[in-house]
Amino acid sequence: MADYLWSLTEQQSVQLPQRVHYVLDGGSLLHRLTWGRGVTYNQVVQSYVDFVTRNYGKASVVFDGYTSCPSTKDMTHLRRKTGRKIATDVDFEGDMLVSDTKESFLANETNKQRFIYELSNALQDGGVETHLADGDADCLIVRTALRKAEEEPTAVIGQDTDLLVLLLFHIKPKHFDVFFASGAKVWDIKAAQAALGADICANILFGHAIGGCDTTSSLFSIGKREPLLQLKNSPLFRQQAEVFATESNTQEAVIAAGERALVLLYGGKEDDSLNTLRCFKYLQKLSTSKSALEPKRLPPTVSAAQFHSLRTYFQVQVWLTLTDEKSVSICPTDWGWEVKEGLMFPLYTDAAAAPEDLLHVVKCNCKTDCATSRCSCRRHGLFCTGGCGECRGDGCMNSVNKIEQEPEDVDFSP
């Protein structure tokens, strides 16, 4: 999404002014330095302090918080751990030698949280302002940047696209210039807002969330470009975005607006429903496809869209208020989430994958003429169909065509 936004703004990377207050994403900071071999934890901590003070002066650093409470980011954390070596809990002291790689040590959230506490204290002793979020730090980073931007030019340093999106929405004309530095690119936020236009910036939280973020699923084959184009060109799509930006809205209103928005994203007409559009797309793809049709290429079912819309609304409300998800006025378990075994999981659907009678359809792979009960279709009292492996429902003894073509008995008696 950041790359597409960059192309829309047509701006070049800018130079940061000499006098600017830096706000650093602590999570990104942790991964910027390597941990050498044969060093102590105190030395590692000091290397971060030296790096921050040398490059950013008396900056503000905001760290994520890792608590035992269920969070809508639980699934993201689980995905990031998949396939990674995770160190055991380390009750480390400052003069102890580091015994694990940085990656495996920080993959353990208990270790990471304790290291953040030690680093935060050391940064404060070095004159750096630090903040520790209750959970995900994005909202607190932007809230800190807004406060600083009321007094002086401010630059946010991080890698997360969420930060860019939040800045594009929340920065107002009253603020001093604000910049977002991510890798080699430095964004001038006010210049980017002017280039993108009010329609996109005022609704970008919705565009980002419905197209897929850490807490909402991405839309297969849609990507992040289409929601931005709809925000720019479609008044009807922007009307649905306004529903998601309304505080204390009803689930019914959110679900209805979400379905209309998804219909537009998948190329439907204004009066289409998801069901009719899904059927149309199925027939359209079936008539042109040379291979098996993958269901993921169709618009979502009404049930899946319902839960996607609820989660999108919850995320937009968190971003609008710049509060921790535990502090927002609504509860995630009312908006597309459930708690299982101490973790927050998304609800994907509450409907069956297909009608019950369709789920009982079987197909055979008979090498013979399907004349006996060895044919699974015949055994279940079904005719062979085009989905069967060999006969394809045509020419065998259990096909509809064969039975319809059987001549009736004729009585030749006088």
Side-chain angles (χ1 to χ4, degrees):
M1 184 174 189
D3 289 339
Y4 184 62
L5 285 169
W6 183 265
S7 69
L8 287 179
T9 61
E10 297 182 350
Q11 67 169 321
Q12 301 295 318
S13 184
V14 300
Q15 292 291 325
L16 290 172
Q18 289 186 346
R19 181 178 174 271
V20 63
H21 184 87
Y22 291 98
V23 178
L24 277 63
D25 177 353
S28 177
L29 172 65
L30 290 178
H31 294 283
R32 292 191 66 178
L33 301 185
T34 58
W35 295 14
R37 295 179 177 273
V39 296
T40 66
Y41 287 99
N42 275 342
Q43 289 173 317
V44 172
V45 167
Q46 189 59 45
S47 69
Y48 281 100
V49 175
D50 294 341
F51 175 82
V52 171
T53 54
R54 182 174 64 252
N55 291 282
Y56 305 109
K58 296 186 181 302
S60 300
V61 183
V62 184
F63 292 102
D64 292 313
Y66 295 88
T67 66
S68 58
C69 298
S71 165
T72 57
K73 289 293 186 78
D74 285 341
M75 292 299 292
T76 298
H77 295 156
L78 287 175
R79 285 196 300 270
R80 290 173 179 170
K81 289 179 180 179
T82 302
R84 296 175 63 185
K85 180 183 177 182
I86 301 176
T88 58
D89 290 358
V90 180
D91 188 16
F92 63 88
E93 299 293 338
D95 57 356
M96 286 176 54
L97 292 175
V98 175
S99 57
D100 294 285
T101 65
K102 178 184 69 174
E103 288 71 21
S104 63
F105 179 84
L106 295 179
N108 180 312
E109 291 183 357
T110 301
N111 292 342
K112 190 172 187 177
Q113 186 70 86
R114 185 171 178 195
F115 183 79
I116 286 173
Y117 285 140
E118 296 294 329
L119 177 55
S120 178
N121 290 334
L123 285 169
Q124 289 180 22
D125 290 342
V128 176
E129 175 186 304
T130 64
H131 303 273
L132 185 61
D134 290 333
D136 185 75
D138 290 348
C139 289
L140 183 54
I141 291 170
V142 174
R143 208 161 67 235
T144 302
L146 292 176
R147 177 168 52 83
K148 294 297 182 180
E150 292 178 351
E151 304 169 355
E152 58 186 325
T154 301
V156 176
I157 311 296
Q159 299 292 325
D160 197 336
T161 301
D162 290 358
L163 296 174
L164 171 63
V165 169
L166 289 169
L167 291 170
L168 288 170
F169 177 82
H170 282 286
I171 293 301
K172 305 302 180 189
K174 68 176 182 178
H175 292 114
F176 280 83
D177 289 340
V178 174
F179 305 88
F180 176 63
S182 178
K185 293 178 181 175
V186 178
W187 298 69
D188 181 330
I189 295 299
K190 288 187 177 181
Q193 288 175 326
L196 292 171
D199 287 335
I200 288 181
C201 292
N203 300 289
I204 197 168
L205 301 182
F206 171 72
H208 184 31
I210 198 168
C213 61
D214 282 347
T215 58
T216 61
S217 303
S218 60
L219 304 175
F220 185 85
S221 77
I222 296 298
K224 304 297 282 188
R225 178 175 178 268
E226 189 60 32
L228 296 178
L229 288 176
Q230 290 286 341
L231 287 176
K232 182 179 180 180
N233 300 322
S234 172
L236 181 60
F237 192 79
R238 293 195 294 271
Q239 288 176 20
Q240 313 320 311
E242 291 171 3
V243 174
F244 285 75
T246 302
E247 187 179 0
S248 303
N249 221 330
T250 65
Q251 290 187 352
E252 292 75 16
V254 168
I255 290 170
E259 178 171 345
R260 282 192 287 272
L262 288 169
V263 165
L264 295 173
L265 287 174
Y266 279 90
K269 300 177 181 178
E270 292 185 4
D271 56 350
D272 280 341
S273 69
L274 266 180
N275 280 336
T276 58
L277 180 62
R278 186 175 167 86
C279 180
F280 170 75
K281 292 289 186 181
Y282 171 76
L283 296 174
Q284 185 183 54
K285 292 179 182 295
L286 196 65
S287 65
T288 58
S289 177
K290 295 181 180 180
S291 59
L293 175 62
E294 298 176 290
K296 63 185 179 181
R297 297 188 179 278
L298 298 173
T301 64
V302 169
S303 178
Q306 165 187 323
F307 290 110
H308 183 76
S309 298
L310 293 176
R311 286 191 293 277
T312 296
Y313 180 78
F314 181 81
Q315 185 59 71
V316 169
Q317 291 300 307
V318 170
W319 284 340
L320 274 170
T321 55
L322 289 178
T323 57
D324 181 80
E325 65 181 51
K326 296 187 289 295
S327 303
V328 74
S329 61
I330 55 178
C331 180
T333 53
D334 294 328
W335 295 89
W337 297 90
E338 64 176 345
V339 176
K340 294 188 299 185
E341 299 178 357
L343 297 175
M344 195 85 73
F345 288 88
L347 290 164
Y348 293 115
T349 183
D350 59 0
E356 191 67 23
D357 54 349
L358 185 61
L359 291 175
H360 284 89
V361 170
V362 294
K363 62 179 182 179
C364 72
N365 285 295
C366 298
K367 305 294 185 182
T368 57
D369 59 3
C370 306
T372 69
S373 60
R374 289 183 179 180
C375 170
S376 58
C377 295
R378 180 183 286 273
R379 187 166 64 250
H380 287 87
L382 301 169
F383 294 122
C384 293
T385 68
C388 292
E390 294 291 329
C391 66
R392 304 292 176 88
D394 185 28
C396 73
M397 298 300 294
N398 191 47
S399 70
V400 175
N401 292 336
K402 179 68 175 177
I403 293 173
E404 287 179 346
Q405 292 170 8
E406 288 288 343
E408 295 182 1
D409 292 337
V410 180
D411 186 2
F412 291 100
S413 60

